[in-house]
Amino acid sequence: MTDCGCEKARKDLEEYLRNEVCKTAEADIRAHLESCPGCRDEALVSRTLTEVLARSCKEAAPEELRLLVLSRLREVQAAH
């Protein structure tokens, strides 16, 4: 296992956090994050943001907003 470096770790960070990289890349990125405070901090921010967004997406939109969005979508579809 080799240190993949900051550039590689940051380039593949989102895929890494979603478990979408191969095992070798995963191990290299994990090792890099363990030894690089800057990249580790960036990963923490990305992970936190992803978790907050995921929680937010589970909440239902207020009925008034939902109806407004559906109405606007219908207007756009009718115009095309």
Side-chain angles (χ1 to χ4, degrees):
M1 184 177 348
T2 60
D3 185 351
C4 64
C6 295
E7 186 176 331
K8 172 89 171 119
R10 288 184 175 152
K11 178 181 153 290
D12 295 334
L13 184 59
E14 293 302 318
E15 289 82 6
Y16 169 80
L17 293 174
R18 291 189 309 262
N19 298 315
E20 295 176 353
V21 293
C22 70
K23 294 294 182 190
T24 303
E26 178 184 5
D28 288 345
I29 294 169
R30 185 180 335 101
H32 179 78
L33 294 177
E34 289 172 0
S35 66
C36 181
C39 290
R40 186 173 48 246
D41 289 347
E42 188 169 333
L44 177 60
V45 168
S46 292
R47 182 175 285 124
T48 302
L49 179 60
T50 299
E51 290 170 357
V52 168
L53 286 172
R55 282 194 306 268
S56 297
C57 292
K58 291 179 183 177
E59 297 176 15
E63 184 65 16
E64 185 177 313
L65 175 60
R66 190 181 75 76
L67 293 174
L68 181 65
V69 169
L70 288 173
S71 173
R72 182 66 182 125
L73 286 171
R74 287 184 190 111
E75 289 173 13
V76 170
Q77 286 175 336
H80 288 88

